Amino acid sequence: MNAMNSNNLSASETNPLSSLDVWEDDLLERYPDPETIARDKSTEEYRNYEDPKRESVKEFYRLNHTYQTYDFVKQKQTEFLKFDKKEMSVWDAFNFLNQLVDDSDPDTDLDQFQHLLQTSEAIRADGHPDWMVLAGLFHDMGKTLCLFDEPQWAVVGDTFPVGCAYSEKIVYPEFFKNNPDYENPVYQTKYGIYSHGCGLRQVDLSWGHDEYVYNMMKDYLPEPALYMLRYHSFYSQHRENGYDHLMDDHDREMFKWVKLFNPYDLYSKNPTPPNWQELRPYYEDLVAKYLPATLKF
Ligand SMILES: [Fe+2]
Ligand SMILES: [Fe+2]
């Protein structure tokens, strides 16, 4: 199977969602509270609820599950983890990210920076370490992939391991039947190309903004913060525990942090934007404490 060439896609295949936020709004319906695990009943209820937004999310997952092959992931790692596209200061990077605007719903949606700031402020308000606040501030910076013309299904969406069998706990698992890897017997055993308890550092996840921002930040933040960045969209593990067999004890220890982080991402959205002018000095100091003067994309 040749690697998917995303340039041959139609507009609707590149951007099935009216904005990236539609995916996150949908997560809130799947996980309406911090304790929720999508058990069979709630999963069924979720799927039976039909509306145009839900249909676009379903189409989004159809594309994501069809095109995120092992080879596609490897190709995107090679393309983007060189970080040779752009270099800019942190504050210019937030302006760059904010070019991702949602025209469909200008009154209710906050820009990307406001979501990041609300996440980091909620973490700070609960007295967590400053590097966790910083993880909150940067966790979605990888969505800048969209600004390099990447299709939405290669930027957001729940992530999952490639190169081994798909968990039934991943949302819309039936769409994996369209994935060329589904026909590859090497990839379709429980462990696939991995082994029991090999540790997630050995495992490639579907490509998206998590892996990208993790690699952007990996030299600068403590390990628990890096786990939060790298696995915050890995719902089939951090909510559903579908891949415990690939984790080692160190991953299990670190996933306590991923789970601690997730509610701040999902439930901190608030229509009132934080007062950036007041907050700015704190964040300038925090960024200067951990990060270099410029970031590479
Ligand atoms: Fe995210
Ligand atoms: Fe987020």
Side-chain angles (χ1 to χ4, degrees), residues 8 19-20 29 34 51-52 57 75-76 82 87 103 120 140 142 159 182 200 217 223 225 262 284-285:
N8 294 337
S19 84
L20 293 184
E29 287 179 23
D51 71 10
V57 170
Q75 180 203 321
K76 289 297 166 188
K82 291 193 290 246
E87 182 166 355
D103 312 314
S120 63
D140 282 339
T159 55
Y182 192 80
L200 290 180
M217 296 283 153
E223 195 180 19
N262 180 247
E284 283 182 343
D285 286 351

Side-chain angles (χ1 to χ4, degrees), residues 52-259:
K53 255 189 181 173
R54 173 60 45 80
E55 289 305 302
S56 75
V57 170
K58 188 174 174 182
E59 172 62 4
F60 166 84
Y61 279 111
R62 187 187 68 78
L63 295 160
N64 178 276
H65 292 1
T66 301
Y67 293 136
Q68 289 264 0
T69 60
Y70 181 81
D71 288 348
F72 177 82
V73 168
K74 287 296 184 190
Q75 180 203 321
K76 289 297 166 188
Q77 289 174 353
T78 305
E79 186 179 349
F80 283 101
L81 300 184
K82 291 193 290 246
F83 293 102
D84 62 353
K85 313 266 181 289
K86 248 181 193 306
E87 182 166 355
M88 57 196 132
S89 76
V90 166
W91 308 107
D92 286 344
F94 285 117
N95 287 331
F96 182 55
L97 178 69
N98 263 354
Q99 290 173 28
L100 282 177
V101 283
D102 180 10
D103 312 314
S104 64
D105 206 357
D107 296 331
T108 55
D109 282 315
L110 298 163
D111 63 34
Q112 296 291 329
F113 182 63
Q114 299 300 337
H115 165 58
L116 293 174
L117 200 53
Q118 289 185 342
T119 305
S120 63
E121 277 295 285
I123 292 167
R124 183 154 80 116
D126 282 352
H128 293 301
D130 64 354
W131 45 259
M132 184 171 172
V133 177
L134 201 59
L137 189 67
F138 280 89
H139 75 278
D140 282 339
M141 184 59 88
K143 288 180 180 175
T144 51
L145 284 169
C146 271
L147 299 165
F148 298 110
D149 294 328
E150 291 302 293
Q152 288 170 336
W153 48 262
V155 179
V156 296
D158 304 36
T159 55
F160 54 86
V162 293
C164 61
Y166 306 111
S167 168
E168 279 297 309
K169 292 176 175 174
I170 302 168
V171 65
Y172 293 119
E174 63 273 25
F175 290 136
F176 286 118
K177 293 197 173 62
N178 304 328
N179 188 306
D181 288 356
Y182 192 80
E183 305 298 330
N184 184 335
V186 177
Y187 294 157
Q188 288 314 314
T189 61
K190 180 176 179 184
Y191 294 101
I193 60 172
Y194 312 114
S195 59
H196 182 83
C198 61
L200 290 180
R201 72 185 67 72
Q202 315 273 0
V203 176
D204 287 305
L205 264 58
S206 53
W207 174 252
H209 73 291
D210 299 48
E211 185 68 17
Y212 187 47
V213 75
Y214 157 72
N215 278 280
M216 202 183 289
M217 296 283 153
K218 70 180 177 192
D219 295 335
Y220 311 119
L221 296 185
E223 195 180 19
L226 296 177
Y227 265 76
M228 294 171 195
L229 298 178
R230 193 175 200 180
Y231 299 112
H232 74 271
S233 305
F234 190 14
Y235 283 84
S236 58
Q237 179 54 39
H238 71 62
R239 284 286 181 141
E240 311 287 348
N241 209 35
Y243 287 98
D244 193 62
H245 52 286
L246 296 178
M247 311 242 294
D248 62 15
D249 286 344
H250 185 65
D251 291 326
R252 279 185 272 277
E253 198 55 36
M254 288 294 128
F255 263 61
K256 291 176 187 164
W257 291 100
V258 178
K259 288 176 209 223

